[in-house]
Amino acid sequence: GQQVMQIPQYQHVQEGEDFTTYCNSSTTLSNIQWYKQRPGGHPVFLIQLVKSGEVKKQKRLTFQFGEAKKNSSLHITATQTTDVGTYFCAGSQQAGTALIFGKGTTLSVSS
Amino acid sequence: NAGVTQTPKFRVLKTGQSMTLLCAQDMNHEYMYWYRQDPGMGLRLIHYSVGEGTTAKGEVPDGYNVSRLKKQNFLLGLESAAPSQTSVYFCACRVNYGYTFGSGTRLTVV
């Protein structure tokens, strides 16, 4: 079945450093979504990417969808302590079908 | 997570006991999902529903049953709880294309 893999599993950075997490799917995706989960909280939707090669930005966050629609990345510029949490990618093979989540990348930031 | 309410928030069960987790939404959305989250395993889909009266299996359905008798409610049942079902359970609704999650139910089976 469809698998979504994320690396790294954990990342620790100093405040102000950049951070990137990568997501790879075993199959071509219809779309990919990113979520953030703060410690003790629930996942919160960040963004959806649909088009091949798509790049979207949200302030210091940059999201990319690969040309083959099988991989994606989230890059955070100049991390802040508020960026702490676990970032999940999630994809579906067909629009409207249930999302399959990656295992997440847990980001810790020290000031 | 306004609009998606999970009850209870915490529960401790003994092996073999049964229970039902309730997810309620007030947004009139068709699609609802149950995920479980375990350390290092991410979110795994248990069951989902694309509308009132419909349910379907996800990645890890064994040991669970679901019902969607009313559009607003999606119930997750454990007929005979096992320690392997100790987890945090999240319900979600699809809102436009993103998912809105409830605050979760932390279940411990001893």
Side-chain angles (χ1 to χ4, degrees), chain B residues 12 21 34 47 51 61 65-66 69-70 78 83 88 109-110:
Chain B
V12 178
L21 283 68
W34 276 107
H47 286 279
N65 56 74
V66 288
L69 298 179
K70 292 184 178 180
L78 287 73
V88 179
V109 183
V110 297

Side-chain angles (χ1 to χ4, degrees), chain A residues 32 34 47-67 69 71-75 77:
Chain A
I32 196 154
W34 286 90
I47 206 162
Q48 174 173 275
L49 304 171
V50 179
K51 299 177 183 177
S52 170
E54 189 170 14
V55 178
K56 287 188 176 181
K57 292 189 176 185
Q58 289 180 349
K59 297 182 180 179
R60 295 178 294 103
L61 278 61
T62 302
F63 304 85
Q64 290 187 320
F65 200 9
E67 294 291 339
K69 300 185 73 173
N71 60 287
S72 181
S73 64
L74 159 59
H75 180 83
T77 303

Side-chain angles (χ1 to χ4, degrees), chain A residues 4 7-8 21 23-26 35 45 47 49 51 58 73 85 91:
Chain A
V4 177
I7 56 170
T21 174
C23 183
N24 290 286
S25 170
S26 57
Y35 292 76
F45 174 75
I47 206 162
L49 304 171
K51 299 177 183 177
Q58 289 180 349
S73 64

